[in-house]
Amino acid sequence: VAYVSEEVDLNSLIASFDMSTGAVASVGGVTQNSKVTDNDFSGKVTYEVKSLAGELKSWDVIISKTGAEIIDFQLADVSYSTVQIDSESQSIQVYVNEETDLSNLKAGFSLSSGGVASVGGLAQESGVTGNDFSGIVTYQVNSQAGEEINWEVTVEPVGAKITSFQFTDAQY
């Protein structure tokens, strides 16, 4: 996610970017040239980058004018498999070990420049403030311009269990 001022017209922006030697980028089948090709960034733009060896990788670019974004999120002292931040829906999904006590977890987070966060009216300090994540926790993130965006954080315990076990060819 990149942030721009409210005055910027997202419909025709020209990006400046560097790539690996010999790599080629395209958006919607159109070859991209740094500092030359314009794109409509009013929604998510996916850059397809093909390496010299033929490896293809997708890079999603989202431009935001709000400044009320959660850029990074993790839970302190917790082992988890993934954190998924969805800037379009303002939601965060965190998967933790099934043994984790969700009642007082401290979140480490990064906000867009000048952003401040609160939960239920209580100011949040990254890595310090504890919250009960046994249900959805809504972070209210305010930009310097005063815009507020609610971010829903869901923490889901997961485990490595066998939930069903059978023999397919055995007679009982």
Side-chain angles (χ1 to χ4, degrees):
V1 179
Y3 304 95
V4 295
S5 67
E6 291 293 329
E7 301 80 34
V8 173
D9 178 11
L10 300 179
N11 296 317
S12 185
L13 286 179
I14 297 174
S16 172
F17 54 88
D18 295 314
M19 296 184 295
S20 305
T21 302
V24 177
S26 64
V27 171
V30 176
T31 300
Q32 301 294 297
N33 294 301
S34 179
K35 301 179 185 176
V36 175
T37 315
D38 68 327
N39 287 293
D40 180 358
F41 284 93
S42 58
K44 177 173 70 175
V45 174
T46 301
Y47 280 75
E48 298 287 338
V49 179
K50 189 173 186 178
S51 74
L52 196 56
E55 179 185 0
L56 187 65
K57 182 160 179 151
S58 298
W59 298 88
D60 292 334
V61 178
I62 299 170
I63 306 295
S64 175
K65 290 185 176 185
T66 69
E69 300 285 325
I70 296 178
I71 300 167
D72 185 42
F73 191 93
Q74 64 276 337
L75 295 173
D77 302 322
V78 173
S79 62
Y80 51 84
S81 57
T82 56
V83 174
Q84 298 170 340
I85 299 176
D86 185 339
S87 295
E88 290 182 18
S89 67
Q90 287 83 38
S91 64
I92 300 172
Q93 181 75 41
V94 182
Y95 299 96
V96 298
N97 182 298
E98 65 184 341
E99 308 300 323
T100 304
D101 178 3
L102 304 180
S103 66
N104 189 28
L105 296 175
K106 294 176 181 145
F109 53 85
S110 298
L111 306 175
S112 50
S113 180
V116 294
S118 63
V119 171
L122 178 64
Q124 300 292 293
E125 186 176 346
S126 179
V128 175
T129 314
N131 290 296
D132 182 356
F133 285 93
S134 58
I136 294 172
V137 174
T138 301
Y139 280 73
Q140 295 86 34
V141 180
N142 290 289
S143 71
Q144 285 181 326
E147 181 177 3
E148 179 180 285
I149 294 187
N150 291 326
W151 286 76
E152 290 190 347
V153 179
T154 304
V155 176
E156 183 178 340
V158 293
K161 293 181 180 178
I162 296 176
T163 58
S164 176
F165 190 87
Q166 300 178 44
F167 295 103
T168 56
D169 295 331
Q171 293 185 8
Y172 297 81

